[in-house]
Amino acid sequence: MNQKTLLYRSDASRFIAFPFSKPDGRDAKTKSSRWSKVSSESSSSPTNDPDFSALPFDILTKIAAPFNFPNLLAASLVCRSWGDALRALREAMVLLRQGKQFKHGRGGVGRNLEKALVSFLKGAARGSTLAMVDAGLIYWERGQKEEAIALYQKAAALGDAAGQCNLGISYLNTQPLNHKEAVKWLHQASVGGHVRAQYQLALCLHQGLGVEQNLQDAVKWYLKAAEGGYVRAMYNASLCYTFGEGLSHSRRQARKWMKRAADRGHGKAQFEHGLALFSEGELLKAIVYLELATRSGEAAATHVKNAILQQLSATSRDLALLLTDNWRALPSSR
């Protein structure tokens, strides 16, 4: 699924949702806090220190299932018992890395999605939720949505935020639609700090999908996602401030978030910010953002840009295009 999910300005409606985008990969930012303190009610140790080795293996592997490699390695070094219990997950990390090499054609191997899927599935069989999500993504892209959802469900049940996010998005994209389940899983992932889930949850709240429409809560999640670096959320937060939807109108905040989205490559934000600069007489800066918007596919920006270019000298026009060619987007979680 290549469509994007976003809200955009329109003469008919300020906020319009395109079809929800495909489930997310691992680029989104998540807060990982999986450590559980294990206490012992009775201990032969005079200091009553917790006996980590007494934690049942099945519980330990469930706790560690969403761990990345550094956290998994640290847990494996707690004691010999944990090291033994987590051996399968360490093997899964090797398979996960191998799968990513095949998926992206890195590490001296050619791109091969079939081999990538095999590696991910082997990692998933060893309990890694990271591998479950990556295998699910390949299934989803191949149109095998039932297989993808089954893997997302396993990862989500083990507390993996990306799995929860992808499961929620899947319920918004497969028939029959299940908006309530989507909101449930998107909320869990959002509370866990997954910025894409926060944005998708905000869309549901904004549009009343699977939950009663609540503009105040929608803005809250837009802002959380925006603060976490999610560009589409920055754009939507700007629109909310512009029109006073869910919060008080603030031109300053609207400009701030619009510029942040524009500086991170959002085409519509570049167009909007370019128009604002033009209205303030900042013609050179306006040309840069309007040209960037044009290159992003915003056709309306072309007409405005061409009109402004006629007002500039040849030297200023050349400088504007040079600045545009050297422009680089700021980092974001998209």
Side-chain angles (χ1 to χ4, degrees):
M1 295 176 62
N2 294 322
Q3 301 103 322
K4 303 294 183 183
T5 303
L6 51 89
L7 302 180
Y8 74 103
R9 293 277 299 277
S10 151
D11 291 335
S13 172
R14 301 192 194 108
F15 295 95
I16 297 178
F18 287 154
F20 280 80
S21 52
K22 71 181 180 182
D24 197 7
R26 281 281 164 185
D27 293 333
K29 295 181 179 177
T30 59
K31 294 180 181 176
S32 178
S33 179
R34 307 286 179 203
W35 295 96
S36 298
K37 293 185 178 179
V38 184
S39 61
S40 175
E41 294 182 1
S42 61
S43 174
S44 59
S45 170
T47 58
N48 288 323
D49 287 336
D51 182 6
F52 293 106
S53 64
L55 189 64
F57 281 8
D58 60 335
I59 294 177
L60 177 59
T61 52
K62 287 181 181 179
I63 293 173
F67 281 9
N68 57 25
F69 182 71
N71 287 343
L72 182 62
L73 182 60
S76 298
L77 296 174
V78 169
C79 62
R80 179 176 295 180
S81 177
W82 279 34
D84 292 340
L86 298 176
R87 181 177 292 111
L89 284 175
R90 291 196 301 276
E91 293 173 355
M93 289 293 107
V94 175
L95 291 162
L96 179 68
R97 176 184 290 183
Q98 185 181 77
K100 288 184 179 295
Q101 289 176 335
F102 281 121
K103 182 177 180 179
H104 303 291
R106 299 172 183 165
V109 300
R111 189 170 185 268
N112 188 319
L113 287 182
E114 193 60 42
K115 288 184 177 180
L117 179 59
V118 170
S119 294
F120 290 146
L121 288 174
K122 288 180 178 179
R126 286 164 172 78
S128 171
T129 62
L130 283 71
M132 295 174 195
V133 170
D134 277 326
L137 285 169
I138 293 180
Y139 274 134
W140 186 271
E141 291 167 357
R142 286 166 43 163
Q144 296 174 263
K145 296 185 177 180
E146 289 185 4
E147 290 85 349
I149 290 174
L151 286 163
Y152 294 151
Q153 287 172 332
K154 290 180 180 179
L158 289 168
D160 186 280
Q164 293 167 346
C165 177
N166 288 6
L167 181 59
I169 293 174
S170 298
Y171 285 134
L172 295 168
N173 283 276
T174 54
Q175 297 295 334
L177 301 179
N178 194 335
H179 292 151
K180 288 187 177 180
E181 275 295 296
V183 169
K184 179 184 107 174
W185 289 109
L186 289 173
H187 186 269
Q188 286 194 34
S190 296
V191 171
H194 195 286
V195 294
R196 187 168 188 173
Q198 292 169 347
Y199 170 73
Q200 299 286 3
L201 177 61
L203 286 178
C204 290
L205 288 162
H206 203 145
Q207 300 162 32
L209 294 177
V211 65
E212 184 177 349
Q213 185 182 47
N214 189 319
L215 297 182
Q216 289 76 21
D217 281 352
V219 170
K220 179 187 78 172
W221 289 112
Y222 280 142
L223 287 173
K224 281 185 178 293
E227 289 162 359
Y230 202 75
V231 178
R232 297 188 189 104
M234 295 177 190
Y235 179 71
N236 285 5
S238 175
L239 295 185
C240 289
Y241 276 116
T242 297
F243 298 105
E245 295 207 13
L247 39 64
S248 299
H249 166 77
S250 172
R251 182 175 179 275
R252 184 178 66 85
Q253 289 294 323
R255 285 292 301 274
K256 180 185 84 170
W257 286 112
M258 190 66 73
K259 185 178 186 303
R260 289 188 180 183
D263 287 341
R264 287 159 179 79
H266 192 288
K268 291 185 182 298
Q270 290 168 341
F271 179 36
E272 298 271 359
H273 189 57
L275 290 176
L277 290 168
F278 173 56
S279 69
E280 295 170 353
E282 296 280 355
L283 301 188
L284 191 62
K285 291 181 180 178
I287 285 294
V288 172
Y289 282 98
L290 291 170
E291 175 62 21
L292 290 170
T294 298
R295 295 179 185 184
S296 295
E298 295 298 319
T302 305
H303 305 295
V304 182
K305 177 197 70 177
N306 290 338
I308 300 174
L309 283 173
Q310 295 176 7
Q311 304 177 38
L312 298 177
S313 66
T315 302
S316 295
R317 289 197 296 269
D318 291 342
L319 177 58
L321 293 178
L322 178 63
L323 291 171
T324 306
D325 289 338
N326 291 328
W327 179 87
R328 296 293 182 271
L330 294 177
S332 71
S333 57
R334 303 307 298 171

